[in-house]
């Protein structure tokens, strides 16, 4: 996380099957900065997160990632780390193989020491060579964090970050979020508003409905 | 300034190439562990050749018919296995993961390479078994047949890859794949059947030049069209 990173969403709108999911959503962030996206079930939190991550195209508006020389599609992808219920690991591969794969598919070199540090951090190092299909749902969620951080992204996007985690896992994730708050851009989509005051910006998808 | 821009483009091209190879190797290692496509293709080839063998009995069939039947076996065997390359990504929820990691063009060419490896393997096994068990199938011009198999494999893989990407998003994947594939693969099938017939008849290599030109044109058109539409199919 070196240098300043920015992400700007302008006048975002998404329509599915003629149903407007959300519209007129704009935000601008420059690191270090945090944003909470909240809203009831079906309000479009995950859809907005997918658009911000570049996984979906908005019906209207645009998202621009800047500050890290976003000259290519690889650079944009290198800027973003994401954890989400709909991003799954390759369960026939081990946790470490998934991390190697993530770097190889990004066309970037694999730093084994850093990968091991991450796996220790999410308390999976002793099971790093076991296939992910043998993991519990909480362990799979922890692998996703290592997967999201393996390329040291300045922007971390978390969709329902605490799902399936036990108390230890929640502690680990809170520490990761705390670190990212200080240096990068943290975007969290959740229904849990208990930590609302810890975020710099809030996009409420219930507003205006 | 121009040098910086050129070196950035070269760096991006190297990353793109590494990404393509990584996606191919991922699919290959995954296949070695799950053996889904290998099993499906292998079972289909053995079953179909056995049925042809039993139905022909001691009667035999003219070389024209046998050339056609060879590609019928390859077509349906390919249909049973090649769709998996994208369908498994959708079913397991890893499609979004892959989208997050790599540009669509790298995903397409990585998957194309994997399907090409699979079709080549399928063709080698099918032709070997076919030549071994179907007594009337004799190739007199090996060079025509070899080029037909190579170009046919590339054409099959190119068409199968984009069709697999399209049907992976549909709810009726299994039935849609052969139905959607047939009209797209028909020009390829007619050409390879004709070229195989020429090889069986002992034609000179130059006589099959028209077929080869058609196959090369087909490959170029299908890959160009696939690259153009792939992002729309893959992303939303």
């Amino acid at each position: 996380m070196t240098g300043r990173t920015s992400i700007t969403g302008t006048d975002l709108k998404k329509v599915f099957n003629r149903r407007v999911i959300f519209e007129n959503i704009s935000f601008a962030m420059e690191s270090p900065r945090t944003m909470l996206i909240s809203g009831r079930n079906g309000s479009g939190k995950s859809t907005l997160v997918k658009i911000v991550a570049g996984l979906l195209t908005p019906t209207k508006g645009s998202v621009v990632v800047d500050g890290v020389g976003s000259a290519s599609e690889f650079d944009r992808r290198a800027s973003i780390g994401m954890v989400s219920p709909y991003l799954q690991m390759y369960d026939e591969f081990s946790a470490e193989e998934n991390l190697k794969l993530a770097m190889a598919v990004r066309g970037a070199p694999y730093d084994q020491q850093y990968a091991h540090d991450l796996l220790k951090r999410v308390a999976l190092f002793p099971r790093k060579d076991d296939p992910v299909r043998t993991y519990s749902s909480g362990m799979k969620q922890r692998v996703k964090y290592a997967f999201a951080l393996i390329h040291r992204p300045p922007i971390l996007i978390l969709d329902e970050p605490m799902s399936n985690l036990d108390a230890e896992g929640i502690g680990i994730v809170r520490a990761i979020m705390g670190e990212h708050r200080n240096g990068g851009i943290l975007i969290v989509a959740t229904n849990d508003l208990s930590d609302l005051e810890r975020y710099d910006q809030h996009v409420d998808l219930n507003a205006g409905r | 300034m121009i040098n910086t821009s050129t070196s950035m483009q070269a760096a991006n091209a190297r990353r793109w190439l590494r990404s393509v190879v990584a996606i191919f190797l991922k699919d290959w290692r995954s296949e070695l562990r799950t053996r889904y496509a290998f099993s499906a293709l292998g079972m289909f080839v053995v079953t179909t050749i056995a049925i042809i063998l039993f139905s022909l009995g001691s009667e035999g069939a003219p070389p024209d018919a046998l050339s056609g039947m060879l590609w019928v076996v390859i077509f349906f065997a390919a249909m049973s296995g090649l769709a998996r390359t994208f369908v498994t990504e959708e079913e397991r929820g890893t499609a979004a993961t892959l989208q997050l990691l790599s540009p669509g063009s790298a995903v397409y060419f990585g998957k194309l390479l994997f399907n090409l490896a699979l079709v080549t393997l399928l063709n080698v096994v099918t032709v070997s078994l076919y030549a071994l068990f179907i007594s009337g199938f004799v190739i007199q011009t090996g060079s025509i047949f070899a080029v037909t198999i190579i170009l046919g494999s590339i054409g099959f893989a190119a068409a199968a890859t984009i069709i697999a990407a399209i049907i992976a998003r549909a709810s009726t994947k299994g039935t849609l794949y052969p139905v959607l594939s047939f009209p797209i693969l028909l020009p390829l099938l007619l050409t390879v059947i004709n070229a195989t017939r020429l090889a069986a008849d002992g034609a000179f290599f130059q006589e099959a030049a028209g077929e080869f030109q058609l196959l090369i044109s087909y490959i170029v058109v299908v890959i160009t069209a696939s690259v153009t539409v792939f992002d729309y199919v893959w992303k939303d």
Side-chain angles (χ1 to χ4, degrees):
Chain A
M1 277 188 279
T2 53
R4 289 175 87 80
T5 301
S6 67
I7 184 164
T8 308
T10 309
D11 198 16
L12 297 171
K13 177 182 181 179
K14 188 66 186 176
V15 178
F16 277 130
N17 298 326
R18 296 183 186 173
R19 194 170 78 86
V20 177
I21 309 296
F22 53 73
E23 58 187 336
N24 304 324
I25 303 287
S26 295
F27 58 86
M29 303 173 79
E30 188 172 325
S31 60
R33 193 88 179 160
T34 58
M35 180 167 79
L36 178 73
I37 299 169
S38 68
R40 66 173 77 90
N41 292 340
S43 60
K45 295 189 296 295
S46 295
T47 303
L48 179 56
V49 157
K50 283 182 185 175
I51 289 172
V52 173
L55 297 177
L56 267 183
T57 309
T59 309
K60 185 184 162 199
S62 64
V63 175
V64 175
V65 178
D66 206 357
V68 286
S70 53
S72 78
E73 289 193 79
F74 280 107
D75 288 326
R76 182 192 164 95
R77 283 173 170 83
S79 302
I80 293 174
M82 188 177 182
V83 175
S84 163
Y86 47 80
L87 288 181
Q88 302 298 329
M89 301 295 98
Y90 289 93
D91 62 6
E92 69 273 34
F93 297 131
S94 69
E96 183 162 17
E97 284 173 329
N98 268 284
L99 299 186
K100 275 184 192 166
L101 174 70
M103 295 310 283
V105 175
R106 287 180 195 280
Y110 176 67
D111 181 346
Q112 190 179 47
Q113 187 54 52
Y114 180 63
H116 286 183
D117 290 346
L118 277 178
L119 288 167
K120 282 174 190 163
R121 181 146 199 217
V122 297
L124 284 175
F125 189 73
R127 298 279 307 272
K128 71 180 171 62
D129 296 322
D130 294 350
V132 170
R133 68 167 174 270
T134 64
Y135 290 5
S136 68
S137 54
M139 291 164 78
K140 285 179 182 171
Q141 180 75 353
R142 293 184 192 197
V143 180
K144 289 182 187 178
Y145 277 92
F147 194 85
L149 295 170
I150 185 67
H151 58 298
R152 298 180 170 94
I155 301 169
L156 186 59
I157 301 172
L158 308 177
D159 189 0
E160 298 298 351
M162 305 303 178
S163 58
N164 296 321
L165 291 172
D166 56 12
E168 184 198 18
I170 289 172
I172 292 167
V173 170
R174 284 195 188 283
I176 290 170
M177 289 167 71
E179 273 177 26
H180 225 84
R181 272 194 177 95
N182 296 328
I185 288 177
L186 177 68
I187 299 173
V188 177
T190 181
N191 280 319
D192 179 10
L193 298 178
S194 58
D195 286 339
L196 180 59
E197 72 282 356
R198 302 183 69 179
Y199 293 89
D200 303 313
Q201 290 172 237
H202 180 203
V203 173
D204 182 5
L205 294 174
N206 291 333
R209 294 201 176 197
Chain B
M1 196 72 176
I2 292 169
N3 280 344
T4 313
S5 171
T6 310
S7 64
M8 273 181 71
Q9 281 177 356
N12 282 330
R14 281 195 297 275
R15 287 173 80 178
W16 183 87
L17 204 58
R18 282 200 293 266
S19 185
V20 170
V21 173
I23 291 165
F24 164 72
L25 290 175
K26 169 195 80 72
D27 280 357
W28 190 252
R29 285 184 192 128
S30 177
E31 183 54 40
L32 288 177
R33 290 186 191 184
T34 61
R35 294 175 192 240
Y36 184 90
F38 287 162
S39 310
L41 294 174
M43 293 291 285
F44 204 97
V45 169
V46 170
T47 310
T48 324
I49 290 179
I51 291 169
I52 292 172
L53 199 58
F54 290 134
S55 59
L56 288 177
S58 57
E59 295 292 316
D64 284 9
L66 290 175
S67 302
M69 274 193 273
L70 170 70
W71 287 99
V72 170
V73 176
I74 290 171
F75 172 76
F76 282 107
M79 292 304 100
S80 68
L82 296 187
R84 297 300 300 172
T85 183
F86 281 104
V87 171
T88 49
E89 301 280 4
E90 288 292 335
E91 285 177 350
R92 298 188 308 175
T94 50
T97 309
L98 207 49
Q99 284 171 16
L100 196 68
L101 295 176
S102 189
S105 60
V107 174
Y108 171 75
F109 280 102
K111 298 284 186 187
L112 174 63
L113 274 184
F114 175 71
N115 272 348
L116 182 59
L118 217 53
V119 173
T120 305
L121 199 65
L122 165 75
N123 286 351
V124 168
V125 171
T126 307
V127 169
S128 304
L129 290 175
Y130 204 79
L132 198 65
F133 291 109
I134 310 292
S135 55
F137 183 67
V138 179
I139 295 296
Q140 298 194 52
T141 314
S143 55
I144 292 179
F145 189 62
V147 175
T148 304
I149 289 289
I150 292 166
L151 293 178
S153 298
I154 300 170
F156 252 103
T161 303
I162 190 65
I163 300 164
I166 293 167
I167 64 113
R169 297 295 171 102
S171 53
T172 51
K173 300 174 178 64
T175 47
L176 202 57
Y177 196 53
V179 172
L180 198 60
S181 299
F182 183 68
I184 296 172
L185 283 170
L186 192 60
L188 177 84
L189 281 169
L190 293 175
T191 314
V192 290
I193 288 170
N194 208 29
T196 306
R197 188 182 54 76
L198 288 172
D201 288 347
F204 290 110
F205 188 80
Q206 291 83 347
E207 290 178 63
E211 269 68 27
F212 297 152
Q213 282 171 356
L214 260 175
L215 288 174
I216 291 166
S217 307
Y218 180 89
I219 292 164
V220 170
V221 167
V222 170
I223 291 180
T224 307
S226 299
V227 170
T228 310
V229 301
F230 186 76
D231 263 344
Y232 298 100
V233 175
W234 175 237
K235 203 170 173 186
D236 291 322

